[in-house]
Amino acid sequence: MSSQAAIKRIRGLHRKKERISSGLAIAQGGKLVRELLESDMSLIELHVRADQQELLQGLTGVDMDIANQEELDKMATMQTGVSAVAVFEQPDYGALLPEEGEVYLACDAVADPGNLGTIIRSAENFGITGVVLGLETVDLFNPKCVQATMGSLFRVPTFRMDLFELNAVDVSIYKAELEGQSLYDVEMGSPAIVVVGNETHGVTEEFKEATAITIPITGDAESLNVGMAATVIAAELYRRELS
Amino acid sequence: MSSQAAIKRIRGLHRKKERISSGLAIAQGGKLVRELLESDMSLIELHVRADQQELLQGLTGVDMDIANQEELDKMATMQTGVSAVAVFEQPDYGALLPEEGEVYLACDAVADPGNLGTIIRSAENFGITGVVLGLETVDLFNPKCVQATMGSLFRVPTFRMDLFELNAVDVSIYKAELEGQSLYDVEMGSPAIVVVGNETHGVTEEFKEATAITIPITGDAESLNVGMAATVIAAELYRRELS
């Protein structure tokens, strides 16, 4: 059984303010909690349904218990019926910048947590070394974002910074825009950063010197959303690496 | 002002059963409603906030009015503050199959409406001619799916059928799987259909004869979700078309 205090503490982490002040975040659902346990993240607290109690095996120094469904539902943000809820420490990778041969993605004011989650997941899938998050980008530890990464969040290095500072670093900067050089024609420098922008406003003025690249699409279509755009760019860069 | 009867009628369309029996669906938000008005869809009913009343200009034969925010919020499924809600007829493209030079996507038991929306949007962006939906695939007119297509739903031909029947048609069938020939090495026949599967179970047994193709990803990663996978496949096919 989980205490009322635990439920209250975890519900507090639904709020960004509380996540920032505590440096903690939550992961929900048996699948995601398994990914968390297999990662290098620091686990603080774990509440599981009786049928998932094998998750507790071998853990030490963790505040853990068997919870009933009602308690878990109170801890969860998104769906009813989750079998596990965990609290983990937000990782601190320090200041990150790409080195020779590496490509980073930079998220400039990405607003939707689902899109940010897709970006992190694509970064891992396609060998992007790290993701930097602009100050205006949605909280990476927003529960919707954590879920959308499907665990990639636990493995991809991330770093929040004022992206304007990238302009002072010796790195080739590209930005995904509606108009620019075709993704398929651009020769990337190294190290490189590809900036993706806000869902409505695109990449900010701060990157006016960066090389604009565009994903060719058919004439009539609305543009891709930022999660899809980052996925296509990362897949193309990985395709080149393979060939 | 919108009548209580209109609100009730539109709220009925939040339910799949009602959408199927009526053949109608809803679009929400000024941006999406604009896309609807510019498309070939049959508009049945339109409720807009006073500041969006230019949307009503030039319309005939449509049940329309100026609604207040409270009324619109009652009609909407997903967010508060939508400025327009429209009812449209679900399009009937008849039986669709790809012809020489065309590629279709087929959705075999895609369960998440957001993923299906992403697939439809990518289909339009990357010149896929049509999308066939297996009987087990989520309702295309689920409001979450309609929103996720960002309007592509109004322009991409779709057809729901028993996908097993594709095996009797003279068309090259490929299926996206975790293991198979690399997407980048496969030479596609024509016409072609690429089947994407359920989020958990993949493509069903029915396509055991189809050529399995896979998107190369790095070793440790979880696989892409089905929306991302369809996006990468469609983008790659369009890249080939351009080169």
Side-chain angles (χ1 to χ4, degrees), chain A residues 108-111 176-178 196-205 223 226:
Chain A
D108 176 18
V110 170
E177 300 240 301
L178 293 182
V196 295
N198 176 263
E199 287 79 352
T200 308
H201 307 294
V203 175
T204 48
E205 281 288 300
S223 67
V226 64

Side-chain angles (χ1 to χ4, degrees), chain A:
Chain A
M1 201 182 128
S2 302
S3 68
Q4 288 304 311
I7 293 171
K8 195 177 166 198
R9 194 164 59 231
I10 289 174
R11 287 179 67 87
L13 296 174
H14 295 187
R15 295 192 302 274
K16 181 180 173 186
K17 195 178 158 187
E18 194 84 7
R19 291 193 298 273
I20 289 175
S21 66
S22 67
L24 302 175
I26 58 173
Q28 307 169 58
K31 192 164 186 304
L32 195 65
V33 167
R34 270 185 187 79
E35 302 261 347
L36 176 65
L37 294 176
E38 287 166 10
S39 76
D40 296 330
M41 297 293 106
S42 288
L43 184 69
I44 304 294
E45 202 169 316
L46 180 55
H47 306 266
V48 303
R49 213 167 53 199
D51 62 326
Q52 299 280 327
Q53 58 183 295
E54 83 275 7
L55 287 174
L56 305 181
Q57 271 167 20
L59 294 179
T60 53
V62 175
D63 185 357
M64 56 192 173
D65 61 34
I66 309 276
N68 63 38
Q69 191 63 62
E70 193 187 341
E71 292 162 344
L72 289 165
D73 287 349
K74 281 184 189 160
M75 296 175 192
T77 55
M78 285 187 300
Q79 65 230 102
T80 55
V82 294
S83 61
V85 175
V87 176
F88 64 98
E89 255 177 46
Q90 298 180 18
D92 179 5
Y93 293 97
L96 283 178
L97 282 173
E99 294 176 10
E100 189 57 34
E102 294 182 343
V103 181
Y104 271 41
L105 287 174
C107 298
D108 176 18
V110 170
D112 180 79
N115 285 341
L116 181 58
T118 298
I119 292 168
I120 302 290
R121 192 172 179 188
S122 285
E124 182 182 28
N125 275 289
F126 297 117
I128 297 290
T129 321
V131 180
V132 287
L133 309 171
L135 302 179
E136 303 300 314
T137 283
V138 64
D139 181 25
L140 181 64
F141 300 98
N142 177 306
K144 278 189 193 160
C145 180
V146 175
Q147 299 304 115
T149 71
M150 302 285 282
S152 293
L153 173 71
F154 308 140
R155 296 177 295 262
V156 173
T158 52
F159 178 56
R160 190 173 287 270
M161 65 182 285
D162 183 347
L163 294 184
F164 187 63
E165 294 174 11
L166 292 176
N167 286 307
V169 176
D170 189 20
V171 52
S172 301
I173 303 181
Y174 302 86
K175 55 182 174 181
E177 300 240 301
L178 293 182
E179 290 183 17
Q181 203 179 346
S182 164
L183 168 65
Y184 305 120
D185 296 335
V186 73
E187 288 199 35
M188 304 277 282
S190 172
I193 292 184
V194 180
V195 185
V196 295
N198 176 263
E199 287 79 352
T200 308
H201 307 294
V203 175
T204 48
E205 281 288 300
E206 292 181 359
F207 293 102
K208 60 172 183 276
E209 304 289 326
T211 305
I213 56 177
T214 193
I215 299 167
I217 58 174
T218 62
D220 299 339
E222 271 281 293
S223 67
L224 302 166
N225 80 34
V226 64
M228 295 159 77
T231 301
V232 172
I233 292 169
E236 167 63 10
L237 298 180
Y238 191 59
R239 183 185 72 83
R240 291 184 193 185
E241 204 177 296
L242 293 175
S243 68

Side-chain angles (χ1 to χ4, degrees), chain B residues 35-46:
Chain B
E35 301 260 349
L36 176 65
L37 294 175
E38 286 166 9
S39 75
D40 296 332
M41 298 293 106
S42 289
L43 183 70
I44 304 294
E45 200 169 318
L46 180 56

